[in-house]
């Protein structure tokens, strides 16, 4: 082999040819199956604890969870059952707009929250619960739990699906979308709950959505691919 042949092989279009050994490896940032399972379990458990704080303090939050809490306070029916049923119509939108994987994970997450919200009061007893603490801590717990689910391409149905769709396709932060819709739901709560409870619920909603808005930005984590 001549020196000219070696030079031809080492260069291509004027740039040095790279061997397979020196070629950069692509970073695989996708979550593994066991990571998704752990995130769904822990995220829904954290959300359920926040829901329990709200339920014990007669507070409400936004999204379909807020609607379910309002119905629970008004009728006495179980939050878990109401929350599961009220989310059923939104799975079609999730399947059409966010994909099969997101829809399946969201369905599982909603089911887990329904179960955990029923089990948590059986394992945790609040003899004294300050309503201000419940509003802030409960909102923070739900925000952290939702953030875990969002980062593993899952949600809790309802407004979460719409908020994530708008963020993925239009760059509008999911936290801000949820905050606007949650304020509407909380205004409706004035018709059924005492004034001070609604104000505390609004405080909790602000905490929840600020956590999502600050930590879940477009381009960092995607809800579906």
């Amino acid at each position: 082999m001549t020196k000219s042949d070696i030079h031809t092989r080492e260069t291509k279009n004027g740039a040095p040819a790279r061997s397979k050994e020196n070629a950069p490896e692509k970073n695989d940032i996708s979550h593994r199956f066991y990571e998704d399972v752990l995130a769904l379990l822990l995220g829904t458990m954290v959300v359920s604890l926040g829901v329990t704080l709200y339920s014990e303090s007669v507070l409400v939050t936004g999204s379909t969870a807020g609607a379910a809490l309002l119905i629970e306070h008004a009728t006495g029916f179980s939050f878990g059952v109401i929350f599961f049923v009220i989310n059923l119509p939104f799975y079609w939108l999730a399947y059409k707009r966010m994909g099969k994987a997101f829809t399946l994970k969201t369905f599982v997450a909603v089911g887990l929250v329904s179960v955990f919200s029923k089990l948590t009061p059986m394992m945790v007893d609040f003899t004294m619960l300050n309503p201000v603490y419940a509003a802030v801590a409960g909102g923070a717990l739900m925000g952290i739990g939702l953030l875990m689910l969002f980062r593993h391409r899952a949600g809790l149905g309802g407004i979460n699906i719409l908020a994530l769709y708008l963020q993925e396709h239009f760059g509008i932060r999911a936290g801000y979308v949820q905050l606007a819709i949650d304020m509407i739901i909380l205004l409706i709560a004035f018709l059924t709950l005492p004034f001070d409870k609604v104000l505390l619920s609004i405080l909790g909603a602000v905490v929840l959505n600020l956590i999502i808005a600050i930590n879940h930005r477009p381009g960092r984590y995607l809800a579906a691919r």
Side-chain angles (χ1 to χ4, degrees):
M1 183 180 292
T2 66
K3 186 176 181 179
S4 175
D5 293 332
I6 295 175
H7 179 73
T8 301
R9 292 183 61 185
E10 289 180 344
T11 60
K12 186 177 181 181
N13 297 327
R18 294 182 178 178
S19 65
K20 291 183 178 180
E21 291 78 10
N22 295 328
E25 296 182 358
K26 293 183 178 179
N27 293 325
D28 183 8
I29 61 173
S30 59
H31 293 111
R32 294 176 174 82
F33 176 75
Y34 76 89
E35 292 175 328
D36 285 338
V37 171
L38 287 174
L40 288 175
L41 287 172
L42 294 175
T44 54
M45 187 178 296
V46 171
V47 169
S48 298
L49 180 56
V51 169
T52 300
L53 291 177
Y54 270 45
S55 181
E56 292 289 328
S57 301
V58 195
L59 303 175
V60 296
T61 185
S63 193
T64 49
L69 280 170
L70 276 176
I71 296 173
E72 179 191 45
H73 295 324
T75 65
F77 289 122
S78 170
F79 167 86
V81 175
I82 299 169
F83 182 65
F84 184 82
V85 172
I86 206 172
N87 274 294
L88 291 177
F90 291 96
Y91 293 123
W92 181 86
L93 173 63
Y95 178 77
K96 289 292 184 180
R97 298 299 184 183
M98 307 300 289
K100 185 187 297 184
F102 175 84
T103 305
L104 178 59
K105 290 178 184 178
T106 297
F107 181 82
V108 172
V110 169
L112 287 173
V113 168
S114 299
V115 172
F116 286 148
S117 63
K118 183 70 174 179
L119 296 177
T120 301
M122 300 178 184
M123 296 180 284
V124 180
D125 183 26
F126 297 101
T127 56
M128 195 283 291
L129 181 59
N130 184 283
V132 177
Y133 174 83
V136 175
L141 286 168
M142 287 187 279
I144 293 169
L146 281 170
L147 187 63
M148 293 173 66
L149 297 177
F150 288 173
R151 290 185 170 181
H152 285 260
R153 305 184 184 98
L156 285 179
I159 306 306
N160 292 162
I161 295 173
L162 176 61
L164 286 172
Y165 172 75
L166 292 175
Q167 173 163 301
E168 293 293 326
H169 293 82
F170 299 100
I172 305 173
R173 291 192 188 179
Y176 294 152
V177 174
Q178 287 201 173
L179 181 58
I181 298 175
D182 289 353
M183 290 299 102
I184 296 175
I185 294 175
L186 290 168
L187 287 175
I188 298 175
F190 278 110
L191 301 176
T192 58
L193 295 180
F195 184 78
D196 61 324
K197 297 290 186 179
V198 179
L199 290 182
L200 288 175
S201 298
I202 292 174
L203 173 63
V206 171
V207 172
L208 186 159
N209 288 287
L210 280 178
I211 288 176
I212 296 174
I214 292 171
N215 294 282
H216 189 70
R217 298 182 182 180
R220 286 185 177 175
Y221 289 85
L222 302 179
R225 288 181 179 176

